[in-house]
Amino acid sequence: MSSLTHPSGGSTLSRVVKEALRSRELAVAIVLVLLIAVTTLKSESFLFSSTGWRDLLLTPSMLILLAVGQTAVIITRNVDLSVGSTLGLTAYLTGRLFIDTNLPIIAVVLAAVLMGAVLGLVNGILVAFGRVPALVITLGTMYIYRGVFLTWAGSDRINADDMPRAFRNLGTESILGIPVLTIVAVVVLCAVGYYLQTARGGRELYAIGSDPGAAELYGLKIRRRVMFAFVLSGALAGLAGAVSAARFGTVSSSVGSGVEFEAVGAAVIGGVAIFGGSGTVWGAALGAFLLVTINRALPVLGISDFWQQAVVGALIVGAITLDRVLVLRQEKRLVAARDDEPTSHATSPTLDPVLPGGSAAPDRPDPAGSDAAGTDSKEGGR
């Protein structure tokens, strides 16, 4: 009996430990800790200055939100390249609402989230019902949303004085040493992670990404689930726009440019399979943390900007290559385990059905009528 085709007989704790040791998330976390340790040894101010710890936690918060939404889309075998433009639009909307209205902060943030969800819904409808590849659709909407943003904003710029102090303080205040925006990102991360791991809708996203044909034959509502994934990604991009406005205090027409590729890269580096069906938001968040920390750490280590980009690209290529190697290796092991499986099922005894009341069903009559045992049984019953 193979451990690959039958459940492990170990305890729950041992299985959890084994899964953790084999997880991509642990590998990314180890690389992240080593990077922080080496950089801190090079320059203690990286972590122990007055703002070092705060910047380490605060800077990745925006990218974590984008990576979480991107993960929900990628596991369905799609991708959302419009999140950077959505972020820019919603960040500018946040500033304009503070300038043009007297809405409270929570209403403005919800408006940004709602606008992001609507933009994501457009992507979802076009992909799910138009049956057009998401890469093409979201590439087009990326330019459309960016064009709308540039037309709307023009040369205008939202400054810190245009936004209320209480909103700007969200980008600097902390609770128990943890920045408020980081707490917001972690809460969203836990909520989406719990949904994907436990809710039926979340598990169906994985099923759709693993085998869309099988999911359709099984009767899953593929279009609705795919559309939901894009709405979630757009809503989180809208929240990231509000977070960006609070974090930096200004909004210009260049906000969000290129961040969509960082979001995809964070998810892939964190172990989310680009071909769909596997990966977690925890890994995507660690990937976002690693990407942002690399950008901050490499200059401290004396590495030029060119090599920063090269390192990020190498991480993405390495993650995709590792995914393919692991998938092929797993497939070979499963095939080998199947071939080694004993053919006992062909000779195993047939279990009689159990009748109500706990008694076994009587022997079926021998079609040839030559079974002595069957004859004895009939005679005994008379």
Side-chain angles (χ1 to χ4, degrees):
M1 182 178 291
S2 169
S3 60
L4 290 174
T5 55
H6 295 275
S8 172
S11 65
T12 302
L13 179 61
S14 65
R15 289 200 301 272
V16 170
V17 172
K18 288 180 181 177
E19 288 294 328
L21 292 176
R22 287 200 298 260
S23 68
R24 285 278 299 279
E25 290 84 351
L26 181 61
V28 176
I30 291 174
V31 172
L32 177 62
V33 171
L34 289 176
L35 177 64
I36 295 173
V38 171
T39 309
T40 304
L41 289 175
K42 177 74 175 181
S43 174
E44 292 185 356
S45 61
F46 180 77
L47 187 61
F48 297 113
S49 66
S50 58
T51 59
W53 172 253
R54 183 179 67 88
D55 290 343
L56 181 70
L57 297 179
L58 178 60
T59 308
S61 57
M62 186 179 70
L63 187 56
I64 287 175
L65 293 173
L66 295 178
V68 169
Q70 194 70 247
T71 299
V73 174
I74 291 178
I75 62 177
T76 64
R77 289 198 182 189
N78 290 291
V79 68
D80 188 356
L81 297 181
S82 67
V83 292
S85 301
T86 301
L87 185 151
L89 264 172
T90 53
Y92 189 72
L93 173 70
T94 300
R96 292 307 315 177
L97 288 177
F98 281 127
I99 294 174
D100 300 332
T101 69
N102 292 319
L103 291 174
I105 293 175
I106 185 64
V108 172
V109 173
L110 290 177
V113 173
L114 179 61
M115 182 176 183
V118 171
L119 297 178
L121 179 63
V122 173
N123 289 331
I125 291 175
L126 293 175
V127 172
F129 292 94
R131 293 186 177 274
V132 181
L135 180 65
V136 178
I137 291 295
T138 58
L139 183 64
T141 54
M142 177 185 75
Y143 286 112
I144 293 173
Y145 296 165
R146 179 62 61 178
V148 172
F149 179 27
L150 294 176
T151 303
W152 186 17
S155 59
D156 190 19
R157 179 187 180 93
I158 306 294
N159 296 310
D161 294 339
D162 298 324
M163 294 183 279
R165 179 180 295 276
F167 180 73
R168 286 183 281 123
N169 287 343
L170 293 176
T172 56
E173 289 184 346
S174 301
I175 299 176
L176 299 176
I178 302 175
V180 172
L181 297 183
T182 302
I183 294 175
V184 171
V186 170
V187 169
V188 171
L189 169 67
C190 293
V192 177
Y194 182 80
Y195 172 79
L196 292 178
Q197 293 296 319
T198 61
R200 177 173 180 173
R203 303 310 300 170
E204 287 182 358
L205 293 180
Y206 284 98
I208 293 169
S210 296
D211 193 334
E216 187 169 8
L217 289 174
Y218 191 72
L220 299 186
K221 299 175 181 177
I222 295 179
R223 292 178 179 175
R224 183 182 298 180
R225 295 302 181 198
V226 170
M227 193 166 59
F228 168 76
F230 278 99
V231 171
L232 177 62
S233 177
L236 293 184
L239 179 59
V243 167
S244 173
R247 169 77 175 89
F248 300 106
T250 61
V251 181
S252 66
S253 57
S254 63
V255 170
S257 296
V259 74
E260 56 272 354
F261 300 110
E262 293 184 20
V264 175
V268 172
I269 291 173
V272 180
I274 196 67
F275 303 105
S278 68
T280 65
V281 292
W282 321 110
L286 285 171
F289 215 112
L290 180 60
L291 280 185
V292 173
T293 305
I294 284 176
N295 289 332
R296 293 184 60 236
L298 293 188
V300 178
L301 298 174
I303 299 176
S304 68
D305 292 344
F306 169 76
W307 288 111
Q308 293 177 38
Q309 301 298 323
V311 168
V312 172
L315 283 174
I316 295 173
V317 172
I320 294 176
T321 303
L322 179 61
D323 266 339
R324 291 306 301 162
V325 170
L326 292 177
V327 168
L328 292 175
R329 184 180 176 187
Q330 183 72 3
E331 287 178 353
K332 289 182 178 178
R333 292 175 66 187
L334 287 171
V335 170
R338 183 194 61 188
D339 294 341
D340 293 340
E341 191 75 8
T343 57
S344 56
H345 63 278
T347 58
S348 59
T350 302
L351 296 178
D352 293 324
V354 177
L355 297 177
S359 60
D363 294 338
R364 284 173 290 185
D366 189 344
S370 58
D371 188 348
T375 304
D376 294 342
S377 176
K378 291 176 183 177
E379 291 177 349
R382 290 171 184 171

